[in-house]
Amino acid sequence: MSNLFIPNPKEAESIHILREVAAQFEKPVLLFSGGKDSITLVRLAQKAFYPARIPFPLLHIDTGHNFPETIAFRDQLVEELGLELIVRNVQDSIDQGKVTEERGRYASRNTLQTTTLLDTIEEFKFDACIGGARRDEEKARAKERVFSVRDDFGQWDEKNQRPELFDMLNGKIHQGQNVRVFPISNWTELDVWEYIKNENMKIPSIYFAHKREVFFRDGMVWTANQHVYRDNSEEVVERMVRFRTVGDMTCTAAVLSDADTLEAVVDEIRLSTISERGARIDDKRSEAAMEKRKKVGYF
Amino acid sequence: MENRKLIKIATAGSVDDGKSTLIGRLLYDTGSLTSDKLEAIERNSKQRGYDYLDFSLATDGLVAEREQGITIDVAHIYFNTDKTNFIVADTPGHVEYTRNMVTGASTSQVAIILIDARKGVIEQTYRHFFISNLLRLSHVVVAVNKMDLVDYDEEVYLKIKSDFEELVAKSDFTTDQITFIPISALKGENVSQKSDLMNWYIGNTLLDHLEVLEPADLQESSAARFPVQFVIRPKTEAYHDFRGFAGKVYGGNLKKGDSITVLPSLTTSKIKAIHFFEKEVEEAAIGSSITITLEDEVNVSRGDTIVKNSDLPKSEKSISATICQVNAKPLKVGDKYTLQHGVNRVLAKVESIQGRIHTDFSGEEASDQLKLNDIGQVTFKLSKAIHFDSYKQNKSTGSFILIDEGSYDTVSVGFIN
């Protein structure tokens, strides 16, 4: 038994937020992508409610273009921790004619996820969706609240946000509204990696350096795969790469790296000069890309 | 996460004081601007025809703001040095945005107040310092910016310092809580690099000063308070009779074996164990999110507060507080609200408004309502007693928010007298 427990202030804050979600909402859900941020959320939720089980299910909106390593990891985690997992597929939204597949060089299902997510929120009547977004990821996210109220259409009104004072969280909402909750708002990418290392957490293998068939476009490293559009002129080569974020194959670029352990990854992040969302192809579309997507209900 | 200390800073300045530039400069100097962000800044600066790097582009987040060229809400920015993690709540400086600075300052320990060396102490400066004083921040850094535009003249700096010291005398701050630093955010003078152009200044650079602030000085230390957020009942075979009370520790440490009182029931017991995830600890420091169990079967639910027997808080059905109105709907006598005090909620009725306080330290005037950005003294009658400390003693148990029953918006923040 240790003597005096000194908290990690960011971890303590995240646990406080997760407990507020469980107390203030009737049907919360944790949006799980299989990425490091949502894996961190699962660990924090374990800590918040231990020795009880996490009192809400996980929801994965599957684009069908995920890395198979991510899906395998997801299923293993859910089984080990005895969690409830709900999966909904973007392919179903496409088949139902609710969304249309993008075409061309930069085709991605990333934005299509929004429709599937909003439909799923309605299907289960979720009133709080817990996500792993961080304010350091992108400028528009820097102004996001911890409890972010969305209207029936999932829209974010950045001009009309509730002020958040001290650590008091106001989760009162009207019928039909829901709240997006961001417990690790105040963490940086380095914080997340250092935490994963200190906690010795498991993460999907694609975060570590591995050999992969890739091609180069716009100065970025793309996965060569049936789901990713590629010109014949774009030559496929094998390289040692790893991923810094785990999204869709179509919108997540790899980085050339030899970092094959958590220590090496943390060192790489510490010295890195490319920001994490710099490897997100969807943000490159325009400077205001993220803000525009958030306004229409993107996670 | 490495064990770096965490310093939370609120920034305040008027329009064009160079606040965004200063933050961008801090990010740049600490190597926190990544190459793609730096490229974006270079590209945008060039597009706008600047012959320098416009670091303000690093932080001005929203499209509407970029169009107007001003920041309009609270943005959070992160950077770190080897020893310290920093969180900056960047709040805008317009008169109408008092609410934003109060919001940003509520989660901060330190304020950086920017003053344009050419303009000196202006009405806005009064307001920013008034809010720092109202929120009882631990330290205020007065950054006299744009020294490059006044030829790095010491006389200009000394005049501003002396004007500001007159304000300090009117406040609750002691002089050791206030630090003056002459800087040029644009040129990077005295931000992280000691300026050769201002040899007359012998103090630390801004970044060095922020780094030497000790979180120990920044933490409140009063009586321990443990508001219960959630009752943990696993109902599994291994933990069949487990009833844990989950919450965050405020004010002072909690120890195993402490004799405690549960409010409002006034039941007493002892702390049987303190749990943090899979381990048990003897003592939990301020700020810990823990779960405790008690020796006796006591009825405890969310919103109750566990305190040490020796340090009971005040319990009242009528409270007086300084209110800052953070919503466009004014606060009037007779209005009813949900009052959220920590994690506890009661109904509150506005009994009387004693007046509106001038945020320039010039006293107060009679007023029957508080409009957006107004600050005033208000008395409330509550549906149930709350268990509180004065804001001076404990920021967490001495503050509350008011929630409008129609819109559910957070409309006011209160600091209990």
Side-chain angles (χ1 to χ4, degrees):
Chain A
M1 203 182 285
S2 54
N3 202 12
L4 173 66
F5 173 67
I6 309 252
N8 166 340
K10 292 192 181 183
E11 181 189 54
E13 176 183 73
S14 304
I15 291 173
H16 174 83
I17 294 162
L18 285 163
R19 288 169 170 171
E20 282 304 287
V21 176
Q24 292 196 35
F25 296 94
E26 280 169 28
K27 281 210 84 176
V29 68
L30 192 154
L31 303 179
F32 187 82
S33 68
K36 65 181 191 313
D37 299 313
S38 55
I39 295 166
T40 299
L41 282 182
V42 171
R43 170 57 59 97
L44 290 165
Q46 277 183 281
K47 291 194 175 191
F49 304 104
Y50 186 87
R53 278 173 32 173
I54 298 173
F56 33 75
L58 271 47
L59 168 63
H60 185 214
I61 301 298
D62 190 343
T63 57
H65 291 172
N66 281 288
F67 293 95
E69 294 90 337
T70 311
I71 301 296
F73 176 88
R74 174 195 78 189
D75 293 341
Q76 199 189 337
L77 183 81
V78 164
E79 199 187 310
E80 272 178 27
L81 300 183
L83 304 172
E84 186 192 338
L85 172 72
I86 298 163
V87 180
R88 287 293 177 272
N89 297 297
V90 172
Q91 187 62 50
D92 293 336
S93 301
I94 295 169
D95 294 345
Q96 289 157 14
K98 287 181 172 164
V99 289
T100 312
E101 189 105 62
E102 294 182 1
R103 286 168 194 284
R105 243 165 109 79
Y106 295 92
S108 164
R109 286 185 172 180
N110 196 44
T111 48
L112 307 188
Q113 289 180 79
T114 304
T115 302
T116 316
L117 172 63
L118 295 182
D119 284 351
T120 313
I121 290 171
E122 206 160 309
E123 179 189 348
F124 289 90
K125 305 274 180 269
F126 290 127
D127 53 1
C129 300
I130 304 161
R134 308 186 321 269
R135 288 173 177 151
D136 82 320
E137 281 178 73
E138 210 275 341
K139 287 191 288 186
R141 289 218 197 265
K143 313 215 160 176
E144 182 63 273
R145 299 297 192 259
V146 173
F147 274 15
S148 180
V149 181
R150 305 299 169 99
D151 65 15
D152 304 33
F153 304 98
Q155 293 187 99
W156 182 57
D157 179 2
E158 85 286 354
K159 291 237 178 70
N160 194 18
Q161 299 197 81
R162 290 176 185 172
E164 290 185 331
L165 295 132
F166 301 94
D167 58 3
M168 285 178 276
L169 294 164
N170 170 8
K172 283 182 94 106
I173 48 169
H174 294 281
Q175 194 78 34
Q177 286 184 323
N178 63 76
V179 170
R180 304 287 166 89
V181 182
F182 303 111
I184 57 167
S185 281
N186 283 328
W187 296 42
T188 62
E189 185 187 16
L190 182 59
D191 288 334
V192 171
W193 279 111
E194 288 179 344
Y195 190 73
I196 288 169
K197 189 183 112 189
N198 293 350
E199 296 279 316
N200 202 14
M201 284 157 59
K202 287 183 199 158
I203 49 171
S205 58
I206 57 170
Y207 278 117
F208 299 108
H210 57 281
K211 276 190 188 154
R212 182 174 289 268
E213 306 247 285
V214 295
F215 65 95
F216 293 86
R217 179 196 295 164
D218 305 336
M220 287 193 279
V221 188
W222 298 61
T223 298
N225 181 288
Q226 60 189 7
H227 299 308
V228 184
Y229 178 93
R230 182 169 53 82
D231 284 339
N232 286 335
S233 63
E234 292 170 321
E235 186 197 350
V236 175
V237 290
E238 192 181 76
R239 288 284 186 278
M240 280 296 274
V241 299
R242 60 174 216 91
F243 291 87
R244 280 180 71 177
T245 67
V246 169
D248 249 14
M249 276 183 216
T250 54
C251 68
T252 311
V255 290
L256 299 174
S257 169
D258 293 319
D260 55 359
T261 62
L262 270 177
E263 286 75 19
V265 169
V266 171
D267 286 344
E268 189 186 278
I269 299 293
R270 205 175 274 140
L271 298 171
S272 167
T273 56
I274 304 170
S275 78
E276 182 181 10
R277 291 207 82 88
R280 289 298 285 254
I281 293 146
D282 43 334
D283 286 339
K284 292 256 160 164
R285 292 179 181 188
S286 88
E287 200 191 345
M290 173 67 91
E291 189 177 341
K292 281 179 183 150
R293 269 183 292 138
K294 281 175 70 83
K295 279 191 174 176
V296 296
Y298 180 77
F299 158 73
Chain B
M1 239 181 270
E2 304 297 312
N3 221 358
R4 292 192 198 93
K5 68 181 178 190
L6 178 65
I7 303 278
K8 299 180 182 179
I9 303 163
T11 54
S14 306
V15 182
D16 296 333
D17 274 349
K19 192 156 48 67
S20 295
T21 305
L22 174 64
I23 295 166
R25 167 65 69 176
L26 281 168
L27 292 172
Y28 179 71
D29 285 0
T30 54
S32 310
L33 277 181
T34 48
S35 64
D36 53 338
K37 281 184 187 154
L38 195 56
E39 272 166 33
I41 287 168
E42 283 167 352
R43 196 171 53 238
N44 282 307
S45 300
K46 214 168 154 188
Q47 264 172 18
R48 293 173 190 207
Y50 300 151
D51 59 355
Y52 54 89
L53 291 180
D54 183 358
F55 289 122
S56 70
L57 296 166
T59 58
D60 284 357
L62 301 175
V63 174
E65 290 173 349
R66 272 195 301 280
E67 283 161 2
Q68 296 168 37
I70 49 166
T71 51
I72 54 167
D73 201 328
V74 184
H76 294 84
I77 298 126
Y78 305 83
F79 64 96
N80 69 276
T81 59
D82 287 342
K83 286 175 270 177
T84 314
N85 277 324
F86 293 98
I87 302 180
V88 177
D90 182 22
T91 59
H94 321 290
V95 181
E96 64 268 35
Y97 289 121
T98 295
R99 91 172 201 153
N100 291 339
M101 183 175 169
V102 170
T103 305
S106 77
T107 53
S108 300
Q109 303 145 327
V110 184
I112 299 178
I113 296 179
L114 267 101
I115 295 179
D116 184 332
R118 297 168 303 173
K119 294 180 191 158
V121 174
I122 56 171
E123 206 190 335
Q124 281 298 309
T125 317
Y126 283 56
R127 294 180 203 283
H128 298 145
F129 187 60
F130 184 90
I131 292 167
S132 306
N133 188 50
L134 174 68
L135 276 281
R136 307 192 72 79
L137 298 181
S138 302
H139 292 264
V140 173
V141 181
V142 182
V144 181
N145 191 26
K146 305 200 179 182
M147 287 300 292
D148 53 312
L149 298 181
V150 295
D151 296 328
Y152 302 104
D153 185 353
E154 185 181 12
E155 290 303 315
V156 173
Y157 166 76
L158 288 176
K159 170 78 171 69
I160 291 170
K161 184 167 181 267
S162 127
D163 287 350
F164 199 96
E165 279 165 347
E166 283 177 32
L167 281 183
V168 177
K170 292 181 190 170
S171 75
D172 299 320
F173 284 111
T174 52
T175 47
D176 61 328
Q177 290 176 288
I178 316 287
T179 307
F180 296 89
I181 306 177
I183 64 164
S184 165
L186 191 70
K187 309 278 164 134
E189 304 288 341
N190 281 341
V191 178
S192 68
Q193 303 276 328
K194 193 104 176 77
S195 173
D196 292 332
L197 301 163
M198 291 182 275
N199 286 325
W200 45 263
Y201 170 75
I202 48 162
N204 277 331
T205 63
L206 178 62
L207 188 62
D208 285 346
H209 177 68
L210 295 174
E211 272 210 295
V212 295
L213 293 175
E214 276 303 322
D217 315 336
L218 307 168
Q219 260 169 12
E220 47 187 314
S221 129
S222 53
R225 304 288 183 239
F226 189 71
V228 175
Q229 282 185 277
F230 198 75
V231 180
I232 293 178
R233 304 201 62 177
K235 293 176 190 161
T236 56
E237 232 162 84
Y239 294 94
H240 195 265
D241 295 321
F242 186 95
R243 284 193 73 201
F245 307 111
K248 196 151 101 184
V249 182
Y250 299 101
N253 296 0
L254 279 183
K255 250 194 211 132
K256 183 179 169 172
D258 279 344
S259 298
I260 60 91
T261 300
V262 181
L263 299 166
S265 69
L266 291 173
T267 338
T268 56
S269 183
K270 276 187 177 167
I271 295 179
K272 185 178 169 188
I274 299 175
H275 298 264
F276 182 73
F277 194 34
E278 289 166 328
K279 65 184 183 210
E280 279 187 37
V281 296
E282 283 283 316
E283 184 176 5
I286 299 172
S288 308
S289 280
I290 50 164
T291 300
I292 65 173
T293 52
L294 300 178
E295 293 282 1
D296 310 282
E297 286 252 339
V298 180
N299 192 10
V300 182
S301 46
R302 174 175 164 85
D304 290 356
T305 306
I306 294 173
V307 300
K308 289 192 206 174
N309 287 348
S310 48
D311 290 309
L312 296 186
K314 286 182 240 176
S315 298
E316 305 276 351
K317 270 187 84 171
S318 173
I319 54 165
S320 295
T322 306
I323 291 289
C324 175
Q325 193 64 5
V326 295
N327 190 275
K329 195 180 155 190
L331 180 114
K332 293 184 187 136
V333 173
D335 284 354
K336 285 181 189 157
Y337 294 97
T338 296
L339 182 150
Q340 181 171 338
H341 174 238
V343 300
N344 187 27
R345 285 180 185 154
V346 296
L347 293 174
K349 189 177 161 189
V350 180
E351 280 276 286
S352 66
I353 298 174
Q354 278 84 45
R356 203 170 65 85
I357 301 168
H358 296 154
T359 53
D360 57 0
F361 295 93
S362 68
E364 58 180 76
E365 64 184 357
S367 175
D368 58 355
Q369 58 172 315
L370 293 178
K371 292 186 197 148
L372 175 62
N373 297 308
D374 280 353
I375 295 172
Q377 283 295 328
V378 181
T379 307
F380 296 90
K381 210 171 121 185
L382 311 179
S383 60
K384 273 190 233 162
I386 59 166
H387 313 285
F388 63 95
D389 299 285
S390 71
Y391 184 74
K392 282 185 186 175
Q393 285 170 322
N394 187 318
K395 286 189 175 187
S396 304
T397 52
S399 58
F400 61 83
I401 55 173
L402 296 179
I403 300 170
D404 186 273
E405 276 301 289
S407 65
Y408 293 152
D409 282 338
T410 302
V411 294
S412 323
V413 54
F415 311 94
I416 307 175
N417 295 348

